[in-house]
């Protein structure tokens, strides 16, 4: 049986997994709101972000209480400090999903994204959702190989982001400046969302190996 | 005389102030690079960001070592945990200055910013630099009123950001899509830089009062 201390540590982990689930759902729904110009879904994403913020604040307080009460050292200390950082990353993912939803709301009843860019934005949204789902999984499994895999998925996001820019900068772009601004910002939001998901995974690598992910080579 | 523990705590504070100084210089120089299309300055900003990253990693390790060795509780614990968060904010400011410099480098020998937007971008750059300078000061003085003041300065940034969008979305915009994309991204970088500076100040408020800045009203 686990003692109260490790139970509390586990429950902080569970909280992080729950945050990952919530922000994954949020970016998926925000993408739907953006592409379908669905105001209701946009509003629901914007409202739901408060829950993510509350969860983060709660996790933070529990982590600090744990530090004060149990004074962990070595690996346990590293777990608590890393949890604090992961909760920041995931909270930020929530903000970025909310930003996407706000663009959707701003342009309602139109879609902020022209139809020829729907496939790219859809892919970015789906990839973002997969990335944070994997990050959530890695928090539980502590699977270093799976964690390192996220960086490769992130390369895919960079590729999609570049595709977006190619469309924007193509001479045949006919959607005007406002749409270019919207697409530029949304592209940035998806890219940053992915960065934070990768960052969560990298922190797991650091936890398990004691080395920063950048210093390891993949086993692939 | 202060004991070794508090000396170490002070030196972490000094490290944060040094980070604030470096990223303040970086955003000022990046703005110069952007407006003057100065490749040398752009390159120097990009290269110098490594120092900020090193400083952050060093501070992080020292903070964790302090937690492990001294096992602080109450206020001291809060100071160490908050320092970790502030170092993340400042590291991120460094990244954003580097992003601005990269836009400058990408468009060299042209300026990425059309001349009618120079005054607005210059103001954003100067304001960003002032904000982080004030944040650095607040880390030392722990002056809650000064910290709360930063939120008002941030309103000014929001105003400048809106001015930028007005230019972008004006029918008379004649600088094409590429420039619109560059200006949109740079505007976002300055805005986020300011957000992180404000966040540092808010964390000082939390340290001193135990309450989140949003829950306090200004004394003004």
């Amino acid at each position: 049986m686990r003692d109260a201390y490790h139970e509390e540590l586990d429950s902080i982990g569970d909280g992080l997994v729950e945050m990952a689930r919530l922000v994954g759902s949020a970016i998926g729904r925000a993408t739907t709101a953006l592409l379908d110009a669905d105001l209701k879904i946009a509003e629901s994403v914007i409202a739901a972000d408060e829950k993510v913020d509350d969860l983060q604040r709660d996790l933070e307080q529990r982590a600090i209480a744990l530090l004060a009460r149990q004074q962990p050292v070595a690996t346990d200390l590293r777990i608590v400090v890393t949890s604090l950082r992961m909760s920041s990353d995931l909270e930020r993912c929530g903000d970025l999903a909310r930003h996407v939803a706000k663009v959707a709301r701003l342009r309602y009843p139109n879609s902020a994204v022209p139809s020829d860019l729907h496939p790219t934005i859809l892919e970015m949204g789906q990839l973002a959702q997969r990335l944070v789902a994997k990050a959530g999984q890695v928090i539980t499994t502590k699977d270093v190989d799976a964690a390192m895999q996220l960086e490769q998925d992130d390369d895919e996001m960079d590729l999609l982001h570049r595709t977006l820019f190619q469309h924007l900068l193509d001479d045949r772009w006919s959607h005007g400046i406002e749409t270019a601004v919207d697409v530029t910002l949304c592209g940035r939001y998806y890219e940053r969302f992915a960065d934070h998901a990768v960052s969560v995974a990298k922190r797991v690598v650091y936890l398990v190996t004691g080395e920063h992910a950048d210093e390891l080579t993949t086993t692939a």
Side-chain angles (χ1 to χ4, degrees), chain A residues 48-178:
Chain A
D49 190 42
E50 213 173 297
K51 204 176 157 190
V52 176
D53 294 347
D54 288 346
L55 210 50
Q56 195 225 350
R57 206 170 278 200
D58 176 54
L59 278 185
E60 183 175 324
Q61 279 165 0
R62 278 159 54 201
I64 292 176
L66 198 67
L67 287 175
R69 245 191 351 255
Q70 307 279 356
Q71 315 208 315
V73 292
T75 307
D76 286 343
L77 172 59
R78 218 158 59 183
I79 292 176
V80 179
V81 171
T82 305
S83 299
L84 282 168
R85 292 206 177 286
M86 293 200 269
S87 78
S88 293
D89 280 317
L90 293 169
E91 189 270 330
R92 193 69 205 133
C93 284
D95 288 346
L96 291 160
R98 195 186 64 219
H99 288 341
V100 171
K102 279 190 171 177
V103 174
R105 183 171 71 178
L106 186 65
R107 300 305 171 206
Y108 176 84
N110 301 311
S111 169
V113 177
S115 55
D116 50 333
L117 277 176
H118 275 216
T120 310
I121 291 287
L122 180 62
E123 267 200 80
M124 291 179 93
Q126 289 180 341
L127 182 58
Q129 197 172 356
R130 281 204 306 279
L131 273 164
V132 85
K134 285 189 190 180
Q137 214 168 23
V138 158
I139 292 171
T140 309
T141 62
K142 302 198 172 45
D143 179 338
V144 171
D145 288 338
M148 306 283 283
Q149 178 66 43
L150 264 85
E151 285 211 65
Q152 284 165 49
D153 295 334
D154 193 37
D155 291 343
E156 219 181 298
M157 182 63 90
D158 290 341
L159 220 64
L160 288 165
H161 202 202
R162 237 169 290 150
T163 306
L164 211 60
F165 277 115
Q166 274 161 12
H167 277 275
L168 279 166
L169 301 179
D170 192 302
D171 286 340
R172 285 162 295 175
W173 178 266
S174 59
H175 308 294
I177 299 289
E178 183 178 272

Side-chain angles (χ1 to χ4, degrees), chain A residues 208-220:
Chain A
V208 176
T209 67
E211 283 182 71
H212 288 282
D214 303 334
E215 289 154 13
L216 299 172
T217 47
T218 52
T219 54

